[in-house]
Amino acid sequence: MEYRIIKSPSQGTIDILNRRKGSGTSSSIGPVDAVGLVQGRIIEMVCAADVAEKAVGVTVEDIRGSCPQNMIMLAIFGDTASVEAAMDEIKQREKRGVEEW
């Protein structure tokens, strides 16, 4: 998996993610302090979403790629500390192996 954190994302970045999120544009993500991006295989993304939401109070959205039926990236929205904690927990679970998800 690949990971990135965007601290203080620009409005343009939020707009791009809002247009591409799986839940559609009807419910917009409001102002957030940080966005964590996680990219990988669909099985990893489903598990990562579960881990992130259980770890801390963040909002997780799937981000559509060029092939809409395949979820390959997640955006984790929240305050900086919560996004970092969620990303750290995902990375720790990945290091421990598949059985630990």
Side-chain angles (χ1 to χ4, degrees):
M1 288 191 285
E2 292 185 54
Y3 312 91
R4 302 285 189 280
I5 294 180
I6 303 171
K7 296 179 181 177
S8 301
S10 69
Q11 187 57 51
T13 300
I14 296 297
D15 291 344
I16 290 167
L17 292 170
N18 272 321
R19 284 192 304 270
R20 303 212 49 91
K21 63 188 179 70
S23 65
T25 57
S26 61
S27 61
S28 177
I29 297 295
V32 294
D33 294 335
V35 178
L37 300 173
V38 183
Q39 184 174 350
R41 297 177 308 154
I42 190 166
I43 191 169
E44 295 167 333
M45 296 304 92
V46 172
C47 293
D50 185 62
V51 166
E53 289 184 339
K54 288 177 180 176
V56 289
V58 293
T59 300
V60 179
E61 288 277 352
D62 62 301
I63 303 299
R64 294 184 313 250
S66 58
C67 187
Q69 67 268 26
N70 292 322
M71 179 177 59
I72 58 167
M73 188 166 80
L74 296 176
I76 301 168
F77 300 94
D79 64 80
T80 301
S82 295
V83 170
E84 287 175 339
M87 299 285 279
D88 288 343
E89 185 64 25
I90 291 167
K91 289 175 188 178
Q92 290 302 314
R93 294 286 179 102
E94 182 184 27
K95 284 181 186 177
R96 287 188 284 213
V98 175
E99 295 80 26
E100 293 293 320
W101 287 99

Coordinates of all heavy atoms in Angstrom, one line a residue:
M1 N 0.8 -1.2 0.0 CA 0.0 0.0 0.0 C 0.9 1.2 0.0 O 2.0 1.2 0.5 CB -0.9 0.0 1.2 CG -2.0 -1.0 1.2 SD -3.3 -0.8 2.5 CE -2.4 -1.4 3.9
E2 N 0.3 2.3 -0.5 CA 1.0 3.6 -0.5 C 0.2 4.6 0.4 O -1.0 4.5 0.4 CB 1.1 4.2 -1.9 CG 2.0 3.4 -2.8 CD 2.2 4.1 -4.2 OE1 2.5 5.3 -4.2 OE2 1.9 3.4 -5.2
Y3 N 0.9 5.5 1.0 CA 0.3 6.4 2.0 C 0.8 7.8 1.8 O 1.9 8.0 1.5 CB 0.7 6.0 3.4 CG 0.6 4.6 3.8 CD1 1.6 3.7 3.6 CD2 -0.6 4.1 4.3 CE1 1.5 2.4 3.9 CE2 -0.8 2.8 4.6 CZ 0.3 1.9 4.4 OH 0.2 0.6 4.8
R4 N -0.1 8.8 1.9 CA 0.2 10.2 1.9 C -0.7 10.9 2.9 O -1.9 10.5 3.0 CB 0.1 10.8 0.6 CG 0.9 10.2 -0.5 CD 2.3 10.6 -0.5 NE 3.1 10.2 -1.6 CZ 3.5 8.9 -1.9 NH1 3.2 8.0 -1.1 NH2 4.2 8.7 -3.0
I5 N -0.2 12.0 3.5 CA -1.1 12.8 4.3 C -0.9 14.3 3.8 O 0.2 14.7 3.6 CB -0.7 12.8 5.8 CG1 -1.0 11.5 6.4 CG2 -1.5 13.9 6.6 CD1 -0.6 11.4 7.9
I6 N -2.1 14.9 3.5 CA -2.1 16.3 3.1 C -2.6 17.1 4.3 O -3.8 17.0 4.7 CB -3.0 16.5 1.9 CG1 -2.6 15.6 0.8 CG2 -3.1 18.0 1.5 CD1 -3.6 15.6 -0.4
K7 N -1.7 17.9 4.9 CA -2.1 18.8 6.0 C -2.6 20.1 5.5 O -2.0 20.6 4.5 CB -1.0 19.0 7.0 CG -0.5 17.7 7.6 CD 0.6 17.9 8.6 CE 1.0 16.5 9.2 NZ 2.2 16.6 10.1
S8 N -3.7 20.6 6.0 CA -4.3 21.9 5.5 C -4.5 21.8 4.0 O -4.0 22.6 3.3 CB -3.4 23.1 5.9 OG -3.2 23.2 7.2
P9 N -5.3 20.9 3.6 CA -5.6 20.8 2.1 C -6.3 22.0 1.6 O -7.1 22.6 2.2 CB -6.5 19.5 2.0 CG -7.2 19.4 3.3 CD -6.2 20.0 4.3
S10 N -5.9 22.4 0.3 CA -6.5 23.5 -0.3 C -7.9 23.2 -0.7 O -8.3 22.1 -0.8 CB -5.7 23.9 -1.6 OG -5.9 22.9 -2.6
Q11 N -8.7 24.3 -0.9 CA -10.1 24.1 -1.3 C -10.2 23.3 -2.7 O -11.0 22.5 -2.9 CB -10.8 25.4 -1.5 CG -12.3 25.2 -1.7 CD -13.0 24.4 -0.6 OE1 -12.9 24.6 0.5 NE2 -13.8 23.4 -1.1
G12 N -9.2 23.5 -3.6 CA -9.2 22.8 -4.8 C -9.0 21.3 -4.6 O -9.6 20.5 -5.3
T13 N -8.1 21.0 -3.7 CA -7.9 19.5 -3.4 C -9.2 18.9 -2.8 O -9.6 17.8 -3.2 CB -6.8 19.4 -2.4 OG1 -5.6 19.9 -3.0 CG2 -6.5 17.9 -2.0
I14 N -9.8 19.6 -1.9 CA -11.1 19.1 -1.3 C -12.2 19.0 -2.4 O -12.9 18.0 -2.4 CB -11.6 20.1 -0.2 CG1 -10.6 20.1 1.0 CG2 -13.0 19.7 0.3 CD1 -10.5 18.7 1.7
D15 N -12.2 19.9 -3.3 CA -13.2 19.9 -4.4 C -12.9 18.6 -5.3 O -13.9 17.9 -5.7 CB -13.1 21.1 -5.3 CG -13.6 22.4 -4.6 OD1 -14.3 22.2 -3.5 OD2 -13.3 23.5 -5.1
I16 N -11.7 18.4 -5.6 CA -11.3 17.2 -6.4 C -11.8 15.9 -5.7 O -12.5 15.0 -6.3 CB -9.8 17.1 -6.7 CG1 -9.4 18.2 -7.6 CG2 -9.4 15.7 -7.2 CD1 -7.8 18.3 -7.7
L17 N -11.5 15.8 -4.4 CA -11.9 14.6 -3.7 C -13.4 14.5 -3.6 O -14.0 13.4 -3.7 CB -11.2 14.6 -2.3 CG -9.7 14.4 -2.3 CD1 -9.1 14.7 -1.0 CD2 -9.3 13.0 -2.8
N18 N -14.1 15.6 -3.4 CA -15.6 15.6 -3.3 C -16.2 15.1 -4.6 O -17.2 14.4 -4.6 CB -16.1 17.0 -3.0 CG -16.2 17.2 -1.5 OD1 -16.6 16.4 -0.7 ND2 -15.9 18.4 -1.1
R19 N -15.6 15.5 -5.7 CA -16.1 15.0 -7.0 C -15.9 13.5 -7.3 O -16.6 12.9 -8.0 CB -15.5 15.8 -8.2 CG -16.0 17.2 -8.3 CD -15.6 17.9 -9.6 NE -14.1 17.9 -9.8 CZ -13.4 18.9 -9.4 NH1 -13.9 20.0 -8.8 NH2 -12.1 18.9 -9.6
R20 N -14.8 13.0 -6.7 CA -14.5 11.6 -7.0 C -14.9 10.6 -5.9 O -14.6 9.4 -6.1 CB -12.9 11.6 -7.2 CG -12.5 12.5 -8.4 CD -11.4 12.1 -9.2 NE -11.4 10.7 -9.7 CZ -11.9 10.3 -10.8 NH1 -12.5 11.2 -11.6 NH2 -11.9 9.1 -11.2
K21 N -15.4 11.1 -4.8 CA -15.7 10.2 -3.7 C -16.9 9.3 -4.1 O -17.8 9.7 -4.8 CB -16.0 10.9 -2.4 CG -17.1 11.8 -2.3 CD -17.0 12.6 -1.0 CE -18.1 13.6 -0.8 NZ -19.4 13.0 -0.7
G22 N -16.9 8.1 -3.6 CA -17.9 7.1 -3.9 C -19.3 7.4 -3.5 O -20.2 6.9 -4.1
S23 N -19.5 8.2 -2.5 CA -20.8 8.5 -2.0 C -21.5 9.6 -2.8 O -22.6 10.0 -2.6 CB -20.8 8.9 -0.5 OG -20.1 10.1 -0.3
G24 N -20.7 10.1 -3.8 CA -21.3 11.1 -4.6 C -21.1 12.6 -4.1 O -20.6 12.7 -3.0
T25 N -21.6 13.5 -4.9 CA -21.4 14.9 -4.5 C -22.5 15.5 -3.6 O -22.4 16.6 -3.2 CB -21.2 15.8 -5.8 OG1 -22.4 15.6 -6.6 CG2 -20.0 15.4 -6.5
S26 N -23.5 14.7 -3.4 CA -24.7 15.3 -2.6 C -24.3 15.6 -1.2 O -24.8 16.6 -0.6 CB -25.8 14.3 -2.7 OG -25.5 13.1 -2.1
S27 N -23.4 14.8 -0.6 CA -22.9 15.1 0.8 C -21.5 15.6 0.7 O -20.6 14.7 0.5 CB -23.1 13.9 1.7 OG -22.3 12.9 1.2
S28 N -21.2 16.8 0.8 CA -19.9 17.4 0.7 C -19.1 17.3 2.0 O -19.6 17.4 3.1 CB -20.0 18.9 0.3 OG -18.8 19.5 0.2
I29 N -17.8 17.0 1.8 CA -16.9 17.0 3.0 C -16.6 18.4 3.3 O -16.1 19.2 2.4 CB -15.6 16.2 2.7 CG1 -15.9 14.8 2.4 CG2 -14.6 16.4 3.8 CD1 -16.5 14.0 3.5
G30 N -16.9 18.8 4.5 CA -16.6 20.2 4.9 C -15.2 20.5 5.1 O -14.3 19.7 4.8
P31 N -14.9 21.6 5.7 CA -13.5 22.0 6.0 C -12.9 20.9 6.9 O -13.5 20.5 7.9 CB -13.6 23.3 6.7 CG -15.0 23.8 6.5 CD -15.8 22.6 6.2
V32 N -11.7 20.5 6.6 CA -11.0 19.5 7.4 C -9.5 20.0 7.5 O -9.0 20.7 6.7 CB -11.0 18.1 6.8 CG1 -12.4 17.5 6.7 CG2 -10.4 18.1 5.4
D33 N -8.9 19.5 8.6 CA -7.5 19.9 8.9 C -6.5 19.1 8.0 O -5.4 19.5 7.7 CB -7.2 19.7 10.3 CG -7.9 20.6 11.3 OD1 -8.3 21.7 10.8 OD2 -8.1 20.3 12.4
A34 N -6.9 17.8 7.7 CA -6.0 16.9 7.0 C -6.8 15.9 6.3 O -7.9 15.5 6.6 CB -5.0 16.2 8.0
V35 N -6.1 15.3 5.2 CA -6.6 14.2 4.5 C -5.5 13.2 4.3 O -4.4 13.5 3.9 CB -7.1 14.7 3.0 CG1 -7.6 13.5 2.2 CG2 -8.1 15.8 3.1
G36 N -5.9 12.0 4.7 CA -4.9 10.8 4.5 C -5.4 10.1 3.3 O -6.5 9.9 3.1
L37 N -4.4 9.8 2.5 CA -4.7 9.0 1.2 C -4.0 7.7 1.3 O -2.8 7.6 1.7 CB -4.2 9.8 0.0 CG -4.8 11.1 -0.2 CD1 -4.2 11.8 -1.4 CD2 -6.3 11.0 -0.5
V38 N -4.7 6.6 1.1 CA -4.2 5.2 1.1 C -4.6 4.6 -0.2 O -5.8 4.6 -0.6 CB -4.8 4.4 2.3 CG1 -4.2 3.0 2.4 CG2 -4.6 5.2 3.6
Q39 N -3.6 4.0 -0.9 CA -3.9 3.3 -2.2 C -3.4 1.9 -2.1 O -2.3 1.6 -1.6 CB -3.2 4.1 -3.3 CG -3.5 3.5 -4.6 CD -2.9 4.4 -5.7 OE1 -2.4 5.5 -5.5 NE2 -2.9 3.9 -7.0
G40 N -4.2 1.0 -2.7 CA -3.8 -0.4 -2.7 C -4.9 -1.3 -3.4 O -5.7 -0.8 -4.1
R41 N -4.8 -2.6 -3.1 CA -5.8 -3.5 -3.6 C -7.1 -3.3 -2.9 O -7.1 -2.9 -1.7 CB -5.3 -4.9 -3.5 CG -4.0 -5.2 -4.3 CD -3.5 -6.6 -4.2 NE -3.3 -6.9 -2.7 CZ -3.4 -8.1 -2.2 NH1 -3.6 -9.1 -3.0 NH2 -3.2 -8.3 -0.9
I42 N -8.2 -3.7 -3.5 CA -9.5 -3.5 -2.9 C -9.6 -4.2 -1.5 O -10.2 -3.7 -0.6 CB -10.6 -4.0 -3.9 CG1 -12.0 -3.5 -3.3 CG2 -10.6 -5.4 -4.1 CD1 -13.1 -3.6 -4.3
I43 N -9.1 -5.4 -1.4 CA -9.2 -6.1 -0.1 C -8.5 -5.3 1.0 O -9.0 -5.2 2.1 CB -8.7 -7.6 -0.2 CG1 -9.0 -8.4 1.0 CG2 -7.2 -7.6 -0.5 CD1 -8.8 -9.9 0.9
E44 N -7.4 -4.7 0.7 CA -6.6 -3.9 1.6 C -7.4 -2.6 2.0 O -7.4 -2.2 3.1 CB -5.3 -3.5 1.0 CG -4.3 -4.7 0.8 CD -3.1 -4.4 0.0 OE1 -3.2 -3.4 -0.9 OE2 -2.1 -5.0 0.1
M45 N -8.1 -2.1 1.0 CA -8.8 -0.8 1.2 C -10.0 -1.0 2.1 O -10.3 -0.2 2.9 CB -9.2 -0.2 -0.1 CG -8.0 0.3 -1.0 SD -6.9 1.4 -0.2 CE -5.7 0.3 0.5
V46 N -10.7 -2.1 1.9 CA -11.9 -2.4 2.8 C -11.4 -2.6 4.2 O -12.0 -2.0 5.2 CB -12.6 -3.6 2.3 CG1 -13.7 -4.0 3.3 CG2 -13.3 -3.3 0.9
C47 N -10.3 -3.3 4.4 CA -9.8 -3.5 5.8 C -9.3 -2.2 6.4 O -9.5 -1.9 7.5 CB -8.7 -4.6 5.7 SG -9.3 -6.3 5.4
A48 N -8.6 -1.4 5.5 CA -8.0 -0.2 6.0 C -9.1 0.8 6.4 O -9.0 1.5 7.4 CB -7.1 0.5 4.9
A49 N -10.2 0.8 5.7 CA -11.3 1.7 6.1 C -11.9 1.3 7.4 O -12.2 2.1 8.3 CB -12.4 1.6 5.0
D50 N -12.0 0.0 7.6 CA -12.6 -0.5 8.9 C -11.6 -0.1 10.0 O -12.1 0.3 11.1 CB -12.7 -2.0 8.8 CG -13.4 -2.6 10.0 OD1 -14.5 -2.3 10.3 OD2 -12.7 -3.4 10.7
V51 N -10.3 -0.3 9.9 CA -9.4 0.0 10.9 C -9.4 1.5 11.2 O -9.4 1.9 12.4 CB -7.9 -0.4 10.4 CG1 -6.9 0.2 11.3 CG2 -7.8 -2.0 10.4
A52 N -9.4 2.3 10.2 CA -9.4 3.8 10.4 C -10.6 4.3 11.2 O -10.5 5.0 12.1 CB -9.3 4.5 9.1
E53 N -11.8 3.8 10.8 CA -13.0 4.2 11.5 C -13.1 3.7 12.9 O -13.6 4.4 13.8 CB -14.2 3.8 10.7 CG -14.3 4.6 9.4 CD -15.6 4.4 8.6 OE1 -16.2 3.3 8.8 OE2 -16.0 5.2 7.8
K54 N -12.5 2.5 13.2 CA -12.6 2.0 14.5 C -11.5 2.7 15.4 O -11.7 2.7 16.6 CB -12.3 0.5 14.5 CG -13.5 -0.3 14.0 CD -13.2 -1.8 14.0 CE -14.4 -2.6 13.4 NZ -14.0 -4.0 13.3
A55 N -10.4 3.1 14.8 CA -9.3 3.7 15.6 C -9.6 5.0 16.2 O -9.3 5.3 17.4 CB -8.0 3.7 14.7
V56 N -10.2 5.9 15.4 CA -10.4 7.3 15.8 C -11.6 7.9 15.0 O -12.1 7.3 14.1 CB -9.2 8.2 15.5 CG1 -8.0 7.9 16.5 CG2 -8.7 8.1 14.1
G57 N -12.0 9.1 15.4 CA -13.1 9.7 14.8 C -12.8 10.4 13.5 O -12.6 11.6 13.4
V58 N -12.7 9.6 12.4 CA -12.5 10.1 11.1 C -13.6 9.7 10.1 O -14.4 8.8 10.4 CB -11.1 9.6 10.5 CG1 -9.9 10.2 11.3 CG2 -11.1 8.1 10.5
T59 N -13.7 10.4 9.0 CA -14.6 10.0 7.9 C -13.8 9.4 6.8 O -12.8 10.0 6.4 CB -15.3 11.3 7.4 OG1 -16.1 11.8 8.5 CG2 -16.3 10.9 6.3
V60 N -14.2 8.2 6.4 CA -13.5 7.5 5.3 C -14.4 7.4 4.1 O -15.5 7.1 4.2 CB -13.1 6.1 5.7 CG1 -12.3 5.4 4.6 CG2 -12.2 6.1 7.0
E61 N -13.8 7.8 2.9 CA -14.5 7.7 1.6 C -13.7 7.0 0.6 O -12.5 7.1 0.6 CB -14.8 9.1 1.1 CG -15.8 9.9 1.8 CD -17.3 9.6 1.4 OE1 -17.4 8.8 0.4 OE2 -18.2 10.1 2.0
D62 N -14.3 6.2 -0.2 CA -13.6 5.6 -1.3 C -13.5 6.6 -2.4 O -14.4 7.4 -2.6 CB -14.2 4.3 -1.8 CG -15.6 4.5 -2.3 OD1 -16.5 5.0 -1.6 OD2 -15.9 4.2 -3.5
I63 N -12.4 6.6 -3.1 CA -12.1 7.6 -4.2 C -12.1 6.8 -5.5 O -11.3 5.9 -5.6 CB -10.8 8.4 -3.9 CG1 -10.9 9.1 -2.6 CG2 -10.6 9.4 -5.1 CD1 -12.0 10.1 -2.4
R64 N -12.9 7.2 -6.4 CA -13.0 6.5 -7.7 C -11.8 6.8 -8.5 O -11.4 8.0 -8.6 CB -14.3 7.0 -8.4 CG -15.6 6.5 -7.8 CD -16.7 6.9 -8.6 NE -16.6 8.3 -9.1 CZ -17.4 9.3 -8.6 NH1 -18.3 9.1 -7.8 NH2 -17.2 10.5 -9.1
G65 N -11.3 5.8 -9.2 CA -10.2 6.0 -10.1 C -10.8 6.0 -11.6 O -11.9 6.4 -11.8
S66 N -10.0 5.6 -12.5 CA -10.4 5.6 -13.9 C -11.4 4.5 -14.2 O -12.1 4.5 -15.2 CB -9.2 5.5 -14.8 OG -8.5 4.4 -14.5
C67 N -11.4 3.5 -13.3 CA -12.3 2.4 -13.5 C -13.3 2.4 -12.2 O -12.9 1.9 -11.2 CB -11.5 1.1 -13.5 SG -12.5 -0.4 -13.9
P68 N -14.5 3.0 -12.3 CA -15.3 3.3 -11.2 C -15.7 2.1 -10.3 O -16.0 2.2 -9.2 CB -16.5 3.9 -11.8 CG -16.2 4.3 -13.2 CD -15.0 3.5 -13.6
Q69 N -15.8 0.9 -10.9 CA -16.2 -0.3 -10.1 C -15.1 -0.8 -9.2 O -15.3 -1.7 -8.4 CB -16.8 -1.4 -11.0 CG -15.8 -2.0 -11.9 CD -15.7 -1.4 -13.3 OE1 -16.0 -0.2 -13.5 NE2 -15.3 -2.1 -14.3
N70 N -13.8 -0.3 -9.4 CA -12.7 -0.8 -8.5 C -12.3 0.3 -7.6 O -11.9 1.4 -8.0 CB -11.5 -1.2 -9.4 CG -11.8 -2.4 -10.2 OD1 -12.5 -3.3 -9.8 ND2 -11.3 -2.4 -11.4
M71 N -12.5 0.0 -6.3 CA -12.0 1.0 -5.2 C -10.6 0.7 -5.0 O -10.2 -0.4 -4.5 CB -12.8 0.8 -4.0 CG -12.4 1.7 -2.9 SD -13.4 1.5 -1.4 CE -13.2 -0.2 -0.9
I72 N -9.7 1.6 -5.3 CA -8.3 1.4 -5.1 C -7.6 2.5 -4.2 O -6.5 2.4 -3.9 CB -7.5 1.3 -6.4 CG1 -7.7 2.6 -7.2 CG2 -7.9 0.0 -7.1 CD1 -6.7 2.7 -8.4
M73 N -8.4 3.5 -3.8 CA -7.9 4.6 -2.9 C -8.9 5.0 -1.9 O -10.1 5.1 -2.3 CB -7.4 5.8 -3.7 CG -6.7 6.8 -2.9 SD -5.7 8.0 -3.8 CE -7.0 9.1 -4.2
L74 N -8.5 5.3 -0.7 CA -9.3 5.8 0.3 C -8.8 7.2 0.7 O -7.6 7.5 0.6 CB -9.2 5.0 1.6 CG -9.7 3.6 1.6 CD1 -9.4 2.9 2.9 CD2 -11.2 3.5 1.2
A75 N -9.8 8.1 1.0 CA -9.5 9.4 1.6 C -10.0 9.4 3.0 O -11.1 9.0 3.3 CB -10.1 10.5 0.8
I76 N -9.1 9.7 4.0 CA -9.5 9.7 5.4 C -9.5 11.2 5.8 O -8.5 11.9 5.8 CB -8.5 8.9 6.2 CG1 -8.4 7.5 5.7 CG2 -8.8 9.0 7.7 CD1 -7.3 6.6 6.2
F77 N -10.7 11.7 6.2 CA -10.8 13.1 6.5 C -11.0 13.3 8.0 O -11.7 12.5 8.7 CB -12.1 13.6 5.8 CG -12.1 13.6 4.3 CD1 -12.7 12.5 3.7 CD2 -11.6 14.6 3.6 CE1 -12.7 12.4 2.3 CE2 -11.6 14.5 2.2 CZ -12.2 13.4 1.6
G78 N -10.4 14.4 8.5 CA -10.5 14.7 9.9 C -9.5 15.7 10.4 O -8.8 16.4 9.6
D79 N -9.4 15.8 11.7 CA -8.3 16.7 12.2 C -7.0 16.0 12.1 O -6.9 14.8 11.9 CB -8.6 17.1 13.7 CG -8.6 15.9 14.6 OD1 -7.5 15.5 15.0 OD2 -9.7 15.4 15.0
T80 N -5.9 16.8 12.1 CA -4.6 16.3 11.8 C -4.2 15.1 12.7 O -3.8 14.0 12.2 CB -3.5 17.4 11.9 OG1 -3.9 18.4 11.0 CG2 -2.2 16.9 11.5
A81 N -4.4 15.2 14.0 CA -4.0 14.2 14.9 C -4.8 12.9 14.7 O -4.2 11.8 14.7 CB -4.2 14.6 16.4
S82 N -6.1 13.0 14.4 CA -6.9 11.8 14.1 C -6.5 11.1 12.8 O -6.5 9.9 12.7 CB -8.4 12.2 14.1 OG -8.8 12.6 15.3
V83 N -6.3 11.9 11.8 CA -5.9 11.3 10.5 C -4.5 10.6 10.7 O -4.3 9.5 10.2 CB -5.8 12.4 9.4 CG1 -5.1 11.9 8.1 CG2 -7.2 12.9 9.1
E84 N -3.6 11.3 11.4 CA -2.3 10.6 11.6 C -2.4 9.3 12.4 O -1.8 8.3 12.1 CB -1.3 11.6 12.3 CG -0.8 12.7 11.4 CD 0.0 13.7 12.1 OE1 -0.1 13.9 13.4 OE2 0.8 14.4 11.4
A85 N -3.3 9.3 13.4 CA -3.5 8.1 14.2 C -4.1 7.0 13.4 O -3.7 5.9 13.5 CB -4.4 8.5 15.4
A86 N -5.1 7.4 12.5 CA -5.7 6.4 11.7 C -4.7 5.8 10.7 O -4.6 4.5 10.5 CB -6.9 7.0 10.9
M87 N -3.9 6.6 10.1 CA -2.9 6.1 9.1 C -1.8 5.3 9.9 O -1.4 4.2 9.3 CB -2.2 7.3 8.5 CG -3.1 8.2 7.7 SD -3.6 7.5 6.1 CE -2.2 7.9 5.1
D88 N -1.4 5.6 11.0 CA -0.5 4.8 11.8 C -1.0 3.5 12.1 O -0.3 2.5 12.0 CB 0.0 5.6 13.1 CG 0.9 6.7 12.9 OD1 1.5 6.9 11.8 OD2 1.0 7.6 13.8
E89 N -2.3 3.4 12.5 CA -2.9 2.1 12.8 C -3.0 1.2 11.6 O -2.7 0.0 11.7 CB -4.3 2.4 13.4 CG -5.0 1.1 13.9 CD -4.3 0.4 15.1 OE1 -3.5 1.1 15.8 OE2 -4.4 -0.8 15.2
I90 N -3.3 1.8 10.4 CA -3.4 1.0 9.2 C -2.0 0.5 8.9 O -1.8 -0.7 8.6 CB -3.9 1.9 8.0 CG1 -5.3 2.2 8.2 CG2 -3.6 1.2 6.7 CD1 -5.9 3.3 7.3
K91 N -0.9 1.3 9.0 CA 0.4 0.8 8.7 C 0.8 -0.3 9.7 O 1.5 -1.2 9.3 CB 1.4 2.0 8.8 CG 1.3 3.0 7.7 CD 2.2 4.2 8.0 CE 1.9 5.3 7.0 NZ 2.8 6.5 7.2
Q92 N 0.5 -0.1 11.0 CA 0.8 -1.2 12.0 C 0.1 -2.5 11.6 O 0.8 -3.6 11.7 CB 0.5 -0.7 13.4 CG 1.3 0.4 13.9 CD 2.8 0.0 13.9 OE1 3.2 -1.1 14.4 NE2 3.6 0.9 13.4
R93 N -1.1 -2.4 11.3 CA -1.9 -3.6 10.9 C -1.2 -4.3 9.7 O -1.1 -5.5 9.6 CB -3.3 -3.3 10.7 CG -4.1 -2.9 11.8 CD -4.4 -4.0 12.8 NE -5.1 -3.5 14.0 CZ -6.4 -3.7 14.2 NH1 -7.1 -4.3 13.3 NH2 -6.9 -3.2 15.3
E94 N -0.8 -3.5 8.7 CA -0.2 -4.1 7.5 C 1.1 -4.8 7.9 O 1.3 -5.9 7.4 CB 0.0 -2.9 6.5 CG 0.6 -3.5 5.2 CD 1.0 -2.4 4.2 OE1 1.3 -1.3 4.6 OE2 1.0 -2.7 3.0
K95 N 1.9 -4.2 8.7 CA 3.1 -4.8 9.1 C 2.9 -6.1 9.8 O 3.8 -7.1 9.7 CB 3.9 -3.9 10.1 CG 4.6 -2.7 9.4 CD 5.3 -1.9 10.3 CE 5.9 -0.6 9.7 NZ 6.6 0.2 10.6
R96 N 1.9 -6.3 10.6 CA 1.6 -7.5 11.4 C 1.1 -8.6 10.5 O 1.1 -9.8 10.9 CB 0.6 -7.2 12.5 CG 1.2 -6.4 13.6 CD 0.3 -6.4 14.8 NE -0.8 -5.4 14.4 CZ -1.4 -4.6 15.3 NH1 -1.1 -4.7 16.6 NH2 -2.3 -3.8 14.9
G97 N 0.7 -8.3 9.3 CA 0.3 -9.4 8.4 C -1.2 -9.5 8.2 O -2.0 -8.9 8.9
V98 N -1.6 -10.2 7.2 CA -3.0 -10.3 6.8 C -3.9 -10.8 7.9 O -5.0 -10.3 8.0 CB -3.1 -11.3 5.6 CG1 -4.5 -11.5 5.1 CG2 -2.2 -10.8 4.4
E99 N -3.5 -11.7 8.7 CA -4.4 -12.3 9.7 C -4.8 -11.3 10.8 O -5.8 -11.5 11.5 CB -3.8 -13.5 10.4 CG -3.5 -14.7 9.5 CD -2.3 -14.5 8.6 OE1 -1.3 -13.8 9.0 OE2 -2.2 -15.1 7.5
E100 N -4.1 -10.2 10.9 CA -4.3 -9.3 12.0 C -5.3 -8.2 11.6 O -5.7 -7.4 12.5 CB -3.0 -8.5 12.3 CG -2.0 -9.5 13.0 CD -2.4 -9.9 14.3 OE1 -3.0 -9.1 15.1 OE2 -2.2 -11.1 14.6
W101 N -5.8 -8.1 10.4 CA -6.8 -7.1 10.0 C -8.0 -7.3 10.8 O -8.6 -6.5 11.3 CB -7.1 -7.1 8.5 CG -6.0 -6.6 7.7 CD1 -5.0 -7.4 7.0 CD2 -5.6 -5.3 7.4 NE1 -4.2 -6.6 6.4 CE2 -4.5 -5.2 6.6 CE3 -6.1 -4.0 7.8 CZ2 -3.9 -4.1 6.1 CZ3 -5.5 -2.9 7.4 CH2 -4.4 -2.9 6.6

